[in-house]
Amino acid sequence: GAVVSQHPSRVICKSGTSVKIECRSLDFQATTMFWYRQFPKQSLMLMATSNEGSKATYEQGVEKDKFLINHASLTLSTLTVTSAHPEDSSFYICSAERTQAGARSYEQYFGPGTRLTVT
Amino acid sequence: RKEVEQDPGPFNVPEGATVAFNCTYSNSASQSFFWYRQDCRKEPKLLMSVYSSGNEDGRFTAQLNRASQYISLLIRDSKLSDSATYLCVVNNGGANNLFFGTGTRLTVIP
């Protein structure tokens, strides 16, 4: 159990275009999902917390108008990188927190990641 | 001071060896603790949660020391497949997010 999928796994796009990444919890419901990015040989950096039915909470320094997050259902969150630039090239990983008996577990299960390259 | 600190390694150990990693956290209000493993260019995968009483899962043992604010992971009888980066992860009590250590790289040598 606790499987999270992410699509696409790899995307190459031109500078100025937008890219949408989907994150789905396949066998559990997730009120809360998270979006991270990771640069080579660095730790995960939390970008935003996605809450079903409400606005996402962004970490300091992350532009909400550039990284649009939508959490439309208990199993799907999307991240759209708008007007992408080469410096946005990174590994983007989502995670979903499994709720246990109505309480938070804080256990996060990660999707396989999306490698974005902006040319 | 970083929320979570780990020795980055690398740890190179022979097959069958026992290896231990420590991780310290700065916020005494932290309530949840985890060890994740991450293979190269892959996503982190939950290895085990760390409970106050300590817990064991096969060859893996995790312990929490609240007084000294550190958690540990012990791997016995190392296998080649244990080679990965091990991430110490701490929930900052009451917050939504987790804080990740930079990871400890383990390589098990034949």
Side-chain angles (χ1 to χ4, degrees), chain B residues 69-96:
Chain B
Q69 292 182 207
Y70 78 82
I71 65 174
S72 64
L73 177 68
L74 181 77
I75 305 176
R76 291 181 298 278
D77 188 23
S78 300
K79 310 290 184 192
L80 296 177
S81 58
D82 294 333
S83 297
T85 296
Y86 290 83
L87 302 171
C88 170
V89 183
V90 175
N91 163 257
N92 197 347
N96 278 332

Side-chain angles (χ1 to χ4, degrees), chain A residues 10-85:
Chain A
R10 186 181 295 270
V11 58
I12 300 172
C13 69
K14 292 188 176 180
S15 189
T17 60
S18 295
V19 174
K20 180 189 271 189
I21 304 170
E22 292 188 350
C23 178
R24 293 179 187 271
S25 56
L26 298 184
D27 52 0
F28 65 100
Q29 293 185 332
T31 305
T32 306
M33 291 185 172
F34 303 86
W35 288 95
Y36 297 83
R37 63 190 295 181
Q38 186 176 33
F39 293 105
K41 298 187 179 181
Q42 294 188 23
S43 61
L44 290 169
M45 185 192 81
L46 179 66
M47 298 175 65
T49 302
S50 171
N51 300 297
E52 188 269 336
S54 64
K55 291 183 179 180
T57 304
Y58 290 81
E59 294 302 300
Q60 192 172 8
V62 179
E63 298 176 58
K64 63 179 182 180
D65 294 329
K66 180 169 182 62
F67 299 99
L68 301 178
I69 292 172
N70 183 276
H71 195 151
S73 76
L74 288 172
T75 59
L76 173 64
S77 176
T78 61
L79 168 70
T80 301
V81 183
T82 62
S83 186
H85 290 285

